[in-house]
Amino acid sequence: MTDSHHLATCNDALLIVLRHPPHGSSWLREGIDVALVTAAFGREVELLFQGDGVFALLENQTTGALGQKGTHPQLMMLEMYDIERLWVSRTALTERGLTTDDLMLPVSVLDSDEIAALHAAHASSLIF
Amino acid sequence: MTDSHHLATCNDALLIVLRHPPHGSSWLREGIDVALVTAAFGREVELLFQGDGVFALLENQTTGALGQKGTHPQLMMLEMYDIERLWVSRTALTERGLTTDDLMLPVSVLDSDEIAALHAAHASSLIF
Amino acid sequence: MLSYALLVHAAPYSTQGSLSALRFAEAVVARGHAVKTVFFYRDGVHNASTLMAPPQDEVHLGERWRRLHATSQTELLVCVAAGLRRGLVNQAEAKRHDLAMHSVEPPFELTGLGQLVDAMLTHDRLITFAP
Amino acid sequence: MLSYALLVHAAPYSTQGSLSALRFAEAVVARGHAVKTVFFYRDGVHNASTLMAPPQDEVHLGERWRRLHATSQTELLVCVAAGLRRGLVNQAEAKRHDLAMHSVEPPFELTGLGQLVDAMLTHDRLITFAP
Amino acid sequence: MTLHLINRTPDNRGLFDDVVEAISEGDYLLLIEDGCYAGLAQTRAPLGSLPRGSVGVLKEDAESRGLLGRLDERLELVDMDGFVTLTERFPKSLSWF
Amino acid sequence: MTLHLINRTPDNRGLFDDVVEAISEGDYLLLIEDGCYAGLAQTRAPLGSLPRGSVGVLKEDAESRGLLGRLDERLELVDMDGFVTLTERFPKSLSWF
């Protein structure tokens, strides 16, 4: 369910791009932290999962070595913070042999030109 | 001037693999530091420049932003420490459009199978 | 005149990111703009350590940040959650966590992520410097 | 029984490397081998900070390293050149550099790179944990 | 319109793919730090598809790496003052790493 | 004979190229941390050329990432005890990052 109309209009929401996989580093967790805090401050937030960031959405993740919590519990809190626009790069999924059926949350899949349009439509973005 | 005989025999020298370019991070500098200290302790050291590490040898490097020293002065000290076997991956050079004429020091260029043999011949290696 | 915020993720002395952020800040000021806020996040928090003792022939990043504050009144904000995990504590946090020492002093301030959100909303530009 | 040395380049709480090194060390000990030396280099030196205060529901890396030392007599060596740049100083270095505070205490020891060379030569295995 | 910054070498293939996917007409890509190596005349980085005048390299970083004279001639050389000017011109910047 | 460790994803293309260049017959490659993603059945990583029985994936790290059941069936699943066993068997190890 892409939403081309939304892509085309200029947008005050903060776009947070998540490019790192879970567990291996804290990039993903600290990016989601920024998303949650921004939403808590009453500003709209959207997430784009690009590159290895799509692994964040993979089903069946668990706690890691030495009790490392991972980021899947954090992602489950997005809805509570009204963060509901989750965009995913089609290229990123395809290159990793994944489809939306492999993901733990409903997402909107974007083609490459739509990704560029998404970036262009947002006045501010952060990459993690 | 590859040296296949040297490659084939088992070797007590420490092989230090340098895979990072200068300036952008301290990997290269800290790898060379280990090389110099090891040599100062009387142990033989050889260097393999692989991947982006070949950029360490590029001519005409200078001091960087805010006085960052770079690693080219360090490389000039290798000979003083009797570190004279410098190996370079042919693939790494070729993919970056470089030849040995672009490099500041004389090196031995190795094909892929010779790189594997070099690794196999050394009892201990470190990657930086 | 534009107002700038910088977001620094890069650890000092490990990657070029902190140096790049500093020289960019100095160039912004030289062009007559204002660097209002530097927000240190992730390993960038280590830039705030009062305990760094680099060799004399290398730039002292802590001093350079303090000089930026002194000349340009730049806020030097350190994410408290990222900092506490990594050993960056000021006197108040040290007391609260029962630590005998501290590693962060003014002009560096420990603050929440909300200050980053605020900086994004109030300044004209946000530039990120990553490792 | 084999003797192991670990080389840790990874900063605590930023990448998985420190956790991997710790769990590997514990698994080595569980199989009856000895982890003789852990050498902290580059951003790995931050593992030695006595000032880290992670949230209570996260692993306290400093404590876990100290526990490894207590149970297995593992040497915890911190590269002094890498550490001084990054704000890791013990009492002696703090005095020498005129710093009012310090951030490294025993069993962590500040040492030169020569100790890494020594560990490579004297132990049976060297395993590196990178960011 | 966005100013994109890259500070890594083309060895990080996935990074460059993601940047190219995110760039629109009218955007500008500035290569800084180790990103400068992507400006080598012969390189694996997929920047060839980007139009002339839309990719620059930070002069100070290219120079310290010995890259002056080796760069793709379609690139603009940008000094620190020029870097700041780019951030004046582009209200939004994105740092890729 | 060498035990190679990789802790990064195949996005770091240059890294995987360098590892493949350095591996000899009889060596073993263990995927740990984010390196586990290279073990996905469909992947861009150039590991297909390595012989069966010479590539493993650290079970604990694959599991926490939700990768069990998705891995290339030629891979061995190695637990922490197995990781230590590999270091007993191979006197030399190399960590690629």
Side-chain angles (χ1 to χ4, degrees):
Chain A
M1 49 159 207
T2 59
D3 182 351
S4 311
H5 179 70
H6 171 80
L7 289 176
T9 55
C10 196
N11 195 313
D12 273 345
L14 173 66
L15 178 67
I16 295 191
V17 185
L18 301 168
R19 290 191 62 258
H20 286 81
H23 287 294
S25 73
S26 62
W27 284 112
L28 183 63
R29 177 168 61 74
E30 293 178 296
I32 301 173
D33 280 346
V34 172
L36 298 179
V37 169
T38 304
F41 273 67
R43 185 160 175 212
E44 211 185 322
V45 177
E46 304 179 14
L47 302 183
L48 167 63
F49 297 85
Q50 210 189 358
D52 288 331
V54 300
F55 288 132
L57 293 163
L58 209 56
E59 276 193 314
N60 301 321
Q61 293 178 57
T62 64
T63 302
L66 306 187
Q68 209 186 10
K69 282 180 287 188
T71 46
H72 50 293
Q74 249 182 327
L75 288 179
M76 288 309 172
M77 292 166 59
L78 292 176
E79 203 183 346
M80 224 167 70
Y81 283 76
D82 295 322
I83 301 175
E84 285 168 343
R85 279 190 197 276
L86 308 182
W87 309 100
V88 169
S89 158
R90 186 183 308 281
T91 316
L93 283 180
T94 309
E95 283 186 343
R96 288 160 185 81
L98 302 175
T99 72
T100 50
D101 292 342
D102 299 303
L103 308 183
M104 65 171 85
L105 288 173
V107 297
S108 303
V109 179
L110 298 181
D111 292 323
S112 289
D113 54 340
E114 293 176 305
I115 300 240
L118 184 73
H119 274 288
H122 284 76
S124 57
S125 314
L126 283 176
I127 301 180
F128 282 94
Chain B
M1 49 155 208
T2 59
D3 182 348
S4 310
H5 178 69
H6 172 80
L7 290 176
T9 54
C10 196
N11 195 311
D12 274 344
L14 173 66
L15 178 67
I16 295 190
V17 185
L18 301 168
R19 290 191 62 258
H20 287 81
H23 287 293
S25 73
S26 61
W27 283 112
L28 183 63
R29 178 168 60 76
E30 293 178 298
I32 300 172
D33 280 346
V34 171
L36 298 179
V37 169
T38 305
F41 273 66
R43 187 161 174 212
E44 211 185 322
V45 177
E46 304 179 15
L47 302 182
L48 167 63
F49 297 85
Q50 210 189 357
D52 288 330
V54 299
F55 287 133
L57 293 163
L58 209 55
E59 276 193 313
N60 300 320
Q61 293 177 57
T62 65
T63 302
L66 307 187
Q68 208 184 9
K69 282 179 287 188
T71 45
H72 50 293
Q74 249 181 326
L75 289 179
M76 288 309 173
M77 294 165 58
L78 292 176
E79 203 183 346
M80 224 168 70
Y81 283 76
D82 296 322
I83 301 175
E84 286 168 343
R85 280 190 195 274
L86 308 182
W87 310 99
V88 170
S89 158
R90 185 184 307 281
T91 317
L93 283 179
T94 307
E95 285 188 341
R96 288 161 185 79
L98 302 174
T99 71
T100 50
D101 290 343
D102 299 303
L103 308 183
M104 64 171 87
L105 289 173
V107 297
S108 303
V109 179
L110 299 181
D111 292 323
S112 290
D113 54 340
E114 294 176 305
I115 300 238
L118 184 74
H119 274 287
H122 284 76
S124 58
S125 314
L126 283 176
I127 301 180
F128 282 94
Chain C
M1 197 194 81
L2 296 171
S3 65
Y4 283 73
L6 309 189
L7 173 57
V8 177
H9 293 309
Y13 302 106
S14 295
T15 65
Q16 200 185 334
S18 306
L19 291 167
S20 293
L22 248 177
R23 74 176 169 176
F24 180 79
E26 293 172 357
V28 165
V29 171
R31 270 188 70 86
H33 301 300
V35 181
K36 295 280 196 187
T37 303
V38 180
F39 192 92
F40 298 96
Y41 197 35
R42 265 184 67 93
D43 283 340
V45 298
H46 293 296
N47 280 281
S49 175
T50 52
L51 303 180
M52 58 173 80
Q56 303 231 336
D57 61 345
E58 288 183 31
V59 60
H60 190 303
L61 283 163
E63 269 176 21
R64 284 293 272 266
W65 288 120
R66 286 192 286 272
R67 197 191 307 168
L68 181 71
H69 169 82
T71 56
S72 310
Q73 296 80 53
T74 304
E75 293 181 316
L76 303 175
L77 307 181
V78 181
C79 174
V80 62
L84 286 180
R85 281 187 178 83
R86 292 169 174 87
L88 278 294
V89 289
N90 60 14
Q91 210 159 0
E93 290 293 338
K95 200 169 166 189
R96 208 152 70 86
H97 291 274
D98 214 19
L99 299 165
M101 303 276 156
H102 62 268
S103 52
V104 176
E105 287 173 13
F108 291 97
E109 305 167 48
L110 294 177
T111 62
L113 271 182
Q115 294 285 94
L116 172 61
V117 178
D118 194 58
M120 280 193 286
L121 289 171
T122 51
H123 301 321
D124 299 315
R125 297 289 184 272
L126 174 74
I127 318 285
T128 301
F129 291 90
Chain D
M1 197 194 81
L2 296 171
S3 66
Y4 283 73
L6 309 189
L7 173 57
V8 177
H9 293 309
Y13 302 106
S14 296
T15 65
Q16 200 185 335
S18 306
L19 290 167
S20 294
L22 248 176
R23 74 176 168 176
F24 180 79
E26 293 172 358
V28 165
V29 171
R31 270 188 69 86
H33 301 301
V35 180
K36 296 280 194 189
T37 302
V38 180
F39 192 92
F40 299 96
Y41 196 37
R42 266 184 67 93
D43 283 339
V45 298
H46 293 296
N47 280 281
S49 174
T50 52
L51 302 180
M52 58 172 81
Q56 302 232 337
D57 61 345
E58 287 183 30
V59 61
H60 190 302
L61 284 163
E63 270 177 20
R64 284 292 272 267
W65 288 120
R66 286 192 285 274
R67 199 190 304 167
L68 181 70
H69 169 81
T71 57
S72 311
Q73 296 79 52
T74 304
E75 294 181 315
L76 302 175
L77 306 181
V78 180
C79 174
V80 62
L84 286 180
R85 281 188 178 84
R86 292 169 174 88
L88 278 294
V89 290
N90 60 14
Q91 211 160 358
E93 291 292 339
K95 201 171 165 189
R96 209 152 70 85
H97 291 274
D98 215 17
L99 299 165
M101 303 275 156
H102 62 269
S103 52
V104 176
E105 288 173 13
F108 291 97
E109 306 166 46
L110 293 177
T111 62
L113 271 182
Q115 294 285 95
L116 172 61
V117 178
D118 193 59
M120 281 193 286
L121 289 170
T122 52
H123 302 320
D124 299 315
R125 297 289 184 272
L126 174 75
I127 319 285
T128 300
F129 291 90
Chain E
M1 292 201 307
T2 303
L3 171 64
H4 300 267
L5 305 170
I6 297 188
N7 73 347
R8 303 269 174 110
T9 76
D11 243 26
N12 303 276
R13 177 70 162 277
L15 178 70
F16 280 79
D17 290 346
D18 288 356
V19 178
V20 168
E21 185 173 65
I23 287 186
S24 294
E25 210 186 309
D27 285 1
Y28 193 95
L29 171 61
L30 182 63
L31 307 170
I32 67 169
E33 302 177 4
D34 287 344
C36 294
Y37 292 112
L40 278 173
Q42 185 176 337
T43 175
R44 291 178 299 168
L47 300 178
S49 56
L50 300 176
R52 182 184 287 264
S54 67
V55 186
V57 59
L58 192 61
K59 188 177 172 219
E60 192 172 88
D61 288 348
E63 187 165 22
S64 63
R65 287 165 177 78
L67 298 179
L68 296 187
R70 300 174 179 279
L71 297 170
D72 189 315
E73 57 173 20
R74 289 167 300 176
L75 296 182
E76 295 185 339
L77 268 185
V78 176
D79 62 13
M80 276 310 295
D81 200 54
F83 184 2
V84 179
T85 310
L86 283 168
T87 65
E88 294 167 4
R89 206 171 113 205
F90 293 91
K92 177 180 169 184
S93 83
L94 274 180
S95 298
W96 299 85
F97 55 90
Chain F
M1 292 201 305
T2 302
L3 171 65
H4 301 267
L5 304 171
I6 297 188
N7 73 346
R8 303 268 175 112
T9 76
D11 243 26
N12 302 276
R13 177 69 162 277
L15 178 69
F16 280 78
D17 290 346
D18 288 355
V19 177
V20 169
E21 185 173 65
I23 287 186
S24 293
E25 212 186 309
D27 285 1
Y28 193 96
L29 171 61
L30 183 63
L31 307 170
I32 67 169
E33 302 177 0
D34 287 343
C36 295
Y37 292 112
L40 277 173
Q42 183 177 339
T43 176
R44 291 176 299 167
L47 300 178
S49 56
L50 300 176
R52 182 185 286 265
S54 66
V55 187
V57 58
L58 193 60
K59 188 177 172 218
E60 193 173 87
D61 289 348
E63 186 166 24
S64 64
R65 287 164 177 79
L67 298 179
L68 295 188
R70 299 174 179 280
L71 298 169
D72 189 313
E73 57 173 18
R74 290 168 299 177
L75 296 182
E76 294 184 339
L77 268 185
V78 177
D79 63 13
M80 276 310 294
D81 201 53
F83 185 1
V84 179
T85 311
L86 283 168
T87 64
E88 293 168 5
R89 206 170 113 205
F90 293 90
K92 177 178 168 186
S93 83
L94 273 181
S95 297
W96 299 84
F97 55 90

